[in-house]
Amino acid sequence: MKTKVIKIKDKTRPEDGELLEAAEILRSGGLVAFPTETVYGLGANALDEAAAKKIYAAKGRPSDNPLIAHISSMEELPALVREIPEAGRKLAEKYWPGPLTMIFPKKDVVPYGTTGGLDTVAVRMPSDPVANRLIKLAGIPVAAPSANTSGRPSPTRAEHVIEDMDGKIDAIVDGGPCSVGVESTIIDLTVQPPRLLRPGGLPLEALEEVLGQVAVDDAVRRKMGEGERPRAPGMKYRHYAPKAAVTTVTGSPHRSAAWIAAHITENAGVICFDEFAPLFPGHIVQRLGPAGDKLAQAQHVFDALRTFDDTDVPEIFAQCPDETGLGLAVSNRLKKAAGFHVVDSAPLVIGFTGPTGAGKTSALRALERLGGLVLDCDAIYHEQLRTDAALREAITDAFGPVFAPDGSLDRQKLGGLVFGDPTSLAQLNDIIFTYLPRELQRRMDDSDAPVVGIDAINLVESGLSHLCRRTVAVLAPEEVRVRRIMARDSIPEDYARLRVQAQRQDDFYRENCTDVLMNSAASPQAFEEIAYQKLQHIIEEETDHE
């Protein structure tokens, strides 16, 4: 078969004459690759089972991997689906045309050859002018997975399609590079709450803005099992993979770059953010874009993966963005390209809590001896009161002018407002534990320490324990705590005993923490040695699990 390449002069305003031949090929049961805003699609008549089978044959695609039916206007949707739920109408109104695919119950007119044997159909309306006009001229819904050999990185340029599909399909419409760079987001509207099956060009946050709760399918972050059936394209099979093995490294940008620099093998390739390319002299490097630019990363990720197939690198190490915004889609594609071989460069985070006087300070000193960074939540919060304008503004909005003209917090005034009022105290805690975790995360990201200890007396109650892989409760007998508080704070026994009795009981900590350090040692130095051995064991356990 000779594949014809149809070059579009102006992709923003394609002329009908440029697209009529491609539209006729689609109507007659042929295959046409064409650009969308996400990636190039391999199109066929979605209502023609024989045409759909040609897509599977050309790509080498498993027959249970569903196809997406593309339409050019909302008026075309009722012909394909049994019902359009309110969630679908809301999403279509805001995000169609665009990089969003929605799953609906299918009508009988849609063959199982298009849906991978499912009773649902995935539908999207592309915003790319070439794609949209081609579908309109064809007068049929167009089934179109990505126009690459199954398993390879998706094509974002016509040259990529020619590389994989020349001689296998009837025509390729060359409309230039794709603007988004990763496939569409897929959401299943046949379940409650609606479920994200594939992250893509429309971020999860945008879906939540319209729908509220959106569940995220487990397959977004892990490999599907052999017995599991994919409900949408890209869920089950190895995707987006170059020929070389890929290791994806997560964590803050400087941490993941440092991990790669420390572990890279001879002749290995690197996919990294622009800022870190100089760390890898002598290696073939493909740049994703700046660490803070998720759109650039989406536009470059498939190019980066595909380009390595023209080299002889034996393996590739890839930096992975965080999962906010388009980062979830880029992260998903890199992890699938790696077969979910993922290394987490983030530090081991251990939370420390327990009642006052139990010896937490000694345990934290032991962690520092093991190379750990200790983050004292109380000290950081008081620092934020001086330096974090957003936190200060939130407290002022809630409680009025509690900061003095010189910028210092009037603790007596704020205390008078909150300590006698449980509702106000809860409101203050909500503010603190909105801003404090962000600062903790920033300091962890900026540190090179392999282990971080979060010191927080309200570790569990505040939700800070969710930042931790392990949580250690430091406990001691009540009489020991009373004597320590008396000596430490120079207070009488009655007052020390009241402070001890006002705190949570040991059972609370035992139930809510992963580990317990009981301090019955004769001296702080002796307990520090006990804590050192316990923490060393925890670190070794967690390292072995990675």
Side-chain angles (χ1 to χ4, degrees):
M1 177 187 295
K2 182 172 176 57
T3 300
K4 182 170 184 177
V5 178
I6 302 169
K7 182 75 174 178
I8 304 300
K9 294 176 184 176
D10 181 356
K11 65 180 181 181
T12 63
R13 299 171 65 183
E15 297 177 5
D16 287 359
E18 298 174 310
L19 296 172
L20 286 173
E21 183 179 1
E24 178 54 34
I25 292 171
L26 290 171
R27 276 195 300 273
S28 62
L31 300 183
V32 176
F34 59 94
T36 76
E37 70 275 22
T38 57
V39 299
Y40 271 74
L42 179 56
N45 186 346
L47 304 182
D48 182 342
E49 190 147 23
K53 287 181 179 179
K54 291 180 183 179
I55 292 177
Y56 287 101
K59 284 177 60 70
R61 182 184 179 96
S63 61
D64 65 344
N65 200 1
L67 305 177
I68 296 173
H70 292 63
I71 59 177
S72 65
S73 67
M74 194 66 183
E75 289 72 26
E76 299 166 30
L77 182 62
L80 304 177
V81 306
R82 291 204 307 271
E83 61 177 308
I84 305 171
E86 184 62 23
R89 295 186 188 279
K90 288 181 178 179
L91 288 172
E93 182 178 346
K94 186 156 188 180
Y95 298 124
W96 269 6
L100 172 65
T101 294
M102 293 185 273
I103 293 180
F104 305 94
K106 81 176 188 69
K107 280 188 173 177
D108 292 341
V109 69
V110 182
Y112 286 114
T114 295
T115 67
L118 301 175
D119 289 319
T120 56
V121 59
V123 186
R124 102 167 176 97
M125 186 193 306
S127 62
D128 182 274
V130 176
N132 199 278
R133 188 59 186 165
L134 175 61
I135 297 165
K136 188 72 172 177
L137 289 172
I140 53 172
V142 176
S146 54
N148 56 289
T149 301
S150 188
R152 288 205 72 204
S154 297
T156 56
R157 301 174 183 273
E159 300 92 309
H160 299 159
V161 183
I162 293 170
E163 185 180 316
D164 280 15
M165 292 293 153
D166 191 24
K168 298 179 183 179
I169 64 177
D170 297 285
I172 299 170
V173 178
D174 181 355
C178 301
S179 59
V180 175
V182 291
E183 295 90 345
S184 62
T185 298
I186 301 179
I187 185 167
D188 187 352
L189 300 179
T190 68
V191 295
Q192 284 298 326
R195 181 174 292 271
L196 178 73
L197 301 184
R198 181 180 75 185
L202 186 72
L204 171 61
E205 294 88 340
L207 300 174
E208 292 172 332
E209 200 175 285
V210 173
L211 302 181
Q213 183 184 7
V214 175
V216 178
D217 197 272
D218 288 346
V220 169
R221 297 185 174 97
R222 66 159 176 84
K223 188 175 182 178
M224 286 187 73
E226 286 302 317
E228 295 182 87
R229 189 174 189 178
R231 297 185 300 284
M235 290 188 70
K236 180 176 182 181
Y237 297 97
R238 186 170 184 254
H239 275 67
Y240 323 120
K243 295 172 185 175
V246 179
T247 297
T248 299
V249 186
T250 60
S252 68
H254 94 271
R255 276 186 171 272
S256 58
W259 190 96
I260 294 172
H263 294 83
I264 194 168
T265 55
E266 187 178 1
N267 299 323
V270 179
I271 297 173
C272 67
F273 305 126
D274 291 359
E275 299 93 317
F276 302 99
L279 292 178
F280 309 106
H283 294 272
I284 298 175
V285 176
Q286 294 297 321
R287 301 185 182 210
L288 275 177
D293 190 341
K294 301 291 178 58
L295 177 57
Q297 294 159 25
Q299 292 168 337
H300 291 118
V301 63
F302 288 136
D303 275 354
L305 289 165
R306 184 175 280 268
T307 299
F308 275 112
D309 282 352
D310 295 326
T311 73
D312 58 358
V313 299
E315 61 180 331
I316 301 165
F317 292 87
Q319 280 191 281
C320 191
D322 66 58
E323 294 187 347
T324 59
L326 287 175
L328 180 59
V330 178
S331 170
N332 171 263
R333 302 313 190 269
L334 285 169
K335 289 175 182 177
K336 288 186 74 67
F340 287 92
H341 180 214
V342 180
V343 172
D344 185 3
S345 67
L348 167 61
V349 182
I350 304 174
F352 289 80
T353 190
T356 186
K360 189 151 50 74
T361 300
S362 297
L364 293 167
R365 278 200 302 265
L367 185 73
E368 289 178 325
R369 287 171 51 195
L370 288 163
L373 167 71
V374 172
L375 297 177
D376 182 334
C377 289
D378 189 55
I380 291 172
Y381 163 60
H382 286 100
E383 181 181 332
Q384 284 184 285
L385 287 174
R386 297 190 304 273
T387 61
D388 191 325
L391 172 62
R392 293 162 62 89
E393 183 179 352
I395 292 175
T396 301
D397 288 346
F399 302 106
V402 293
F403 289 92
D406 65 359
S408 62
L409 176 67
D410 187 334
R411 299 180 189 280
Q412 186 173 356
K413 185 173 185 179
L414 180 61
L417 292 171
V418 303
F419 290 133
D421 181 357
T423 301
S424 294
L425 182 59
Q427 186 179 10
L428 177 61
N429 284 333
D430 285 344
I431 293 171
I432 294 170
F433 295 116
T434 296
Y435 289 89
L436 181 59
R438 299 175 190 173
E439 179 62 16
L440 292 173
Q441 189 64 59
R442 185 190 69 78
R443 296 189 185 208
M444 287 189 281
D445 289 345
D446 287 346
S447 168
D448 294 323
V451 185
V452 174
I454 294 180
D455 174 12
I457 194 166
N458 291 321
L459 182 78
V460 175
E461 303 93 318
S462 67
L464 289 175
S465 57
H466 295 303
L467 296 175
C468 308
R469 204 181 310 175
R470 299 282 281 264
T471 49
V472 176
V474 181
L475 307 178
E478 182 175 319
E479 289 304 314
V480 172
R481 291 170 53 208
V482 169
R483 299 302 168 192
R484 286 188 183 138
I485 293 171
M486 289 171 61
R488 185 190 69 194
D489 299 340
S490 301
I491 58 176
E493 180 178 343
D494 289 349
Y495 184 35
R497 200 168 293 282
L498 284 173
R499 285 179 60 183
V500 167
Q501 292 172 352
Q503 294 184 329
R504 291 188 178 276
Q505 299 300 304
D506 288 359
D507 285 349
F508 170 82
Y509 297 106
R510 293 182 185 279
E511 291 170 5
N512 290 285
C513 293
T514 62
D515 301 89
V516 171
L517 262 173
M518 177 56 72
N519 183 3
S520 300
S523 69
Q525 293 77 17
F527 179 58
E528 184 178 324
E529 291 306 315
I530 293 170
Y532 183 94
Q533 298 298 323
K534 172 70 172 179
L535 294 173
Q536 188 176 48
H537 180 67
I538 288 174
I539 292 168
E540 289 172 353
E541 276 188 338
E542 292 299 326
T543 302
D544 289 343
H545 290 165
E546 290 179 354

